[in-house]
Amino acid sequence: MTLEDFDEGLLKWGADLAKWPDELRPHAEDLLAQSEAARSMRQEMTDLATILDTAVMSDVPVGAVSAKVQQSIAERRERQGLLDLLPLKKIFGWGSLAGIGGGAIAAFAPVSAGVSAMLSIALGGTLP
Amino acid sequence: MPSNEDDEMLVAAAGRGDERAFNRLVQRHAPRLHAVVRRHVGSSDDADEIVQDAFWRAWRASPRWQPGGARFSTWLYRVAVNRAIDHLRAARRRQEVTVDEMPEAPAASAGGDTAADNRQILGLMRQAIDQLPERQRLAVLLSTGEEKSNAEIALIMESSEGAVEQLLVRARRRLRKTYRDLQ
């Protein structure tokens, strides 16, 4: 393996040789054992990976992000729970409910059948 | 690095309605997922929404989760990444953002203050990530933290492993040049 091949491998698979393809790893290890330049290239890629990870993660408010997600899920569960209490859903399912809603609109409201169909689709599409 | 088996046990428990198990998955995966999405879409508020939606989908899908298939984190990232890509497409339709409109790089510090220098280096590296072409940026963001293999990144990006490797070669070469220039 040449230094150019090794550099290409570092760019593709990173500095951790465990992530390199099995057939190339022994050649990379041999080169590292022999070449100071290869060791230096690998160290630079390790440093780059560290600084990129720090750049991406260092300004993330870890606790706040998790708390927001947990709160959002709790609120959605609560809404979902309330919707599940509606008896029509249990009896007919949402598709039927949407159809009934659209049918009722078509029967009793001064709207066209096309609008009624669209409302049925919209109801069916937004309700979980 | 969390093990796949741990995640699968937690998803299975969440599927039986165990909210604490699901909250552990949130604590484990939300911060890095948020960081990746935020850097990709460029907005913390938008990342909040995308990440919350991805976890909500995960919660709702958990009773139907099939063990032994794709890793939970791969599935979760794929959902969030698809939303992030759609979000960027919609944003592009609303307003074309060109390289010319990107902020100028801050001037190099005069030296002497190591903490300030480090902050500045991190800021410049973030800017270098932001300026990568979209797919290169996404590939390199997914590769940070060394948690994902190129094969997993390919699954998340719905691409081939070879294509991901080429994206990473180009992205890392460019970022390495920026890093060298900062030395």
Side-chain angles (χ1 to χ4, degrees):
Chain A
M1 177 177 281
T2 66
L3 282 174
E4 288 75 22
D5 296 334
F6 184 66
D7 186 48
E8 185 82 1
L10 287 173
L11 292 166
K12 274 185 189 172
W13 302 298
D16 179 5
L17 293 191
K19 293 194 168 179
W20 284 47
D22 292 343
E23 65 274 20
L24 293 179
R25 195 176 308 119
H27 302 295
E29 285 167 347
D30 286 348
L31 187 66
L32 279 169
Q34 297 161 15
S35 166
E36 178 63 37
R39 288 193 290 274
S40 172
M41 288 159 71
R42 185 193 190 192
Q43 185 58 51
E44 183 187 42
M45 192 53 73
T46 302
D47 294 345
L48 178 64
T50 303
I51 199 164
L52 288 176
D53 190 42
T54 309
V56 170
M57 291 301 296
S58 64
D59 60 348
V60 175
V62 172
V65 165
S66 297
K68 274 187 194 175
V69 173
Q70 286 167 357
Q71 187 185 344
S72 158
I73 300 297
E75 287 169 2
R76 292 181 199 212
R77 264 193 222 119
E78 199 173 324
R79 281 201 298 272
Q80 178 73 42
L82 289 173
L83 289 169
D84 285 344
L85 290 176
L86 290 174
L88 278 175
K89 185 197 170 190
K90 286 187 190 296
I91 297 166
F92 299 110
W94 282 117
S96 307
L97 181 57
I100 291 167
I105 289 167
F108 299 109
V111 290
S112 71
V115 173
S116 159
M118 282 195 302
L119 284 168
S120 294
I121 290 164
L123 280 168
T126 53
L127 291 171
Chain B
M1 190 170 116
S3 79
N4 193 29
E5 187 184 7
D6 286 347
D7 273 2
E8 291 211 347
M9 284 167 53
L10 291 172
V11 180
R16 296 188 297 270
D18 184 340
E19 295 176 16
R20 286 178 61 188
F22 192 75
N23 284 342
R24 284 187 59 197
L25 287 167
V26 170
Q27 286 161 1
R28 184 177 283 176
H29 295 290
R32 182 167 292 278
L33 179 61
H34 189 277
V36 167
V37 172
R38 178 189 169 188
R39 278 266 67 83
H40 193 56
V41 301
S43 155
S44 191
D45 288 345
D46 293 338
D48 280 350
E49 189 183 321
I50 290 167
V51 170
Q52 287 167 18
D53 281 352
F55 273 102
W56 175 239
R57 283 191 59 180
W59 167 257
R60 297 194 62 203
S62 59
R64 300 183 303 277
W65 184 259
Q66 299 287 326
R71 286 174 62 177
F72 170 75
S73 65
T74 304
W75 181 91
L76 181 72
Y77 272 77
R78 191 164 169 170
V79 169
V81 160
N82 277 332
R83 283 284 320 273
I85 290 169
D86 289 346
H87 175 87
L88 280 180
R89 278 195 195 122
R92 236 189 341 263
R93 279 197 296 273
R94 285 195 298 273
Q95 183 186 7
E96 283 291 329
V97 177
T98 68
V99 172
D100 292 343
E101 291 166 335
M102 288 184 177
E104 289 279 318
S109 106
D113 184 344
T114 308
D117 285 348
N118 287 342
R119 279 198 300 276
Q120 193 166 44
I121 288 172
L122 287 178
L124 289 165
M125 291 308 295
R126 279 191 202 108
Q127 204 167 72
I129 294 170
D130 294 346
Q131 290 178 353
L132 290 171
E134 264 179 47
R135 287 181 65 77
Q136 287 183 36
R137 182 169 70 237
L138 188 53
V140 89
L141 285 170
L142 290 168
S143 76
T144 58
E146 304 286 327
E147 288 178 4
K148 292 179 177 44
S149 66
N150 289 356
E152 285 174 293
I153 294 172
L155 279 175
I156 292 166
M157 293 182 68
E158 299 180 13
S159 185
S160 70
E161 203 172 330
V164 165
E165 285 170 2
Q166 289 314 308
L167 290 170
L168 286 173
V169 167
R170 290 197 286 273
R172 285 175 173 152
R173 189 172 277 142
R174 207 160 143 176
L175 293 169
R176 185 171 66 182
K177 181 181 182 313
T178 303
Y179 182 54
R180 283 177 180 167
D181 291 346
L182 292 171
Q183 301 304 298

